[in-house]
Amino acid sequence: HACQYCGSAAESIDHVVPRSRGGEHCWENVVAACRPCNVRKRDRLLAETTMRLRRPPLSPTGMSWLTLGVATVPDTWTQYLLHAA
């Protein structure tokens, strides 16, 4: 939930390669972004800005799918999930 450009609270997503420039709507092309950074980047490529990603976008793996769905993992599930990563 942190902006991948500045680290503040993110309330939107940004397409790293804008859709208007041929970017896809997929996990590997979207990052969390705060409104000011999203507006600042507009429909430009990163190379056309001074902005840098804090980490590259990746598809969720392992337990992150569960965390995305329920926000937290119930303690009673831990014994079943520790070995599932």
Side-chain angles (χ1 to χ4, degrees):
H1 301 281
C3 177
Q4 291 304 299
Y5 297 109
C6 72
S8 65
E11 61 269 340
S12 66
I13 62 165
D14 177 62
H15 291 87
V16 179
V17 176
R19 294 181 78 186
S20 64
R21 306 279 291 269
E24 295 183 38
H25 185 66
C26 63
W27 286 110
E28 295 81 7
N29 191 44
V30 294
V31 294
C34 66
R35 182 163 168 68
C37 285
N38 207 339
V39 169
R40 186 172 138 220
K41 183 172 168 282
R42 300 189 312 244
D43 68 339
R44 299 182 290 173
L45 300 172
L46 282 176
E48 299 169 342
T49 72
T50 58
M51 302 170 79
R52 299 290 171 257
L53 285 171
R54 297 165 64 91
R55 59 179 115 147
L58 300 169
S59 295
T61 59
M63 296 252 311
S64 35
W65 280 109
L66 180 63
T67 304
L68 282 170
V70 296
T72 59
V73 177
D75 290 335
T76 56
W77 294 11
T78 305
Q79 64 181 336
Y80 304 107
L81 299 173
L82 287 177
H83 303 289

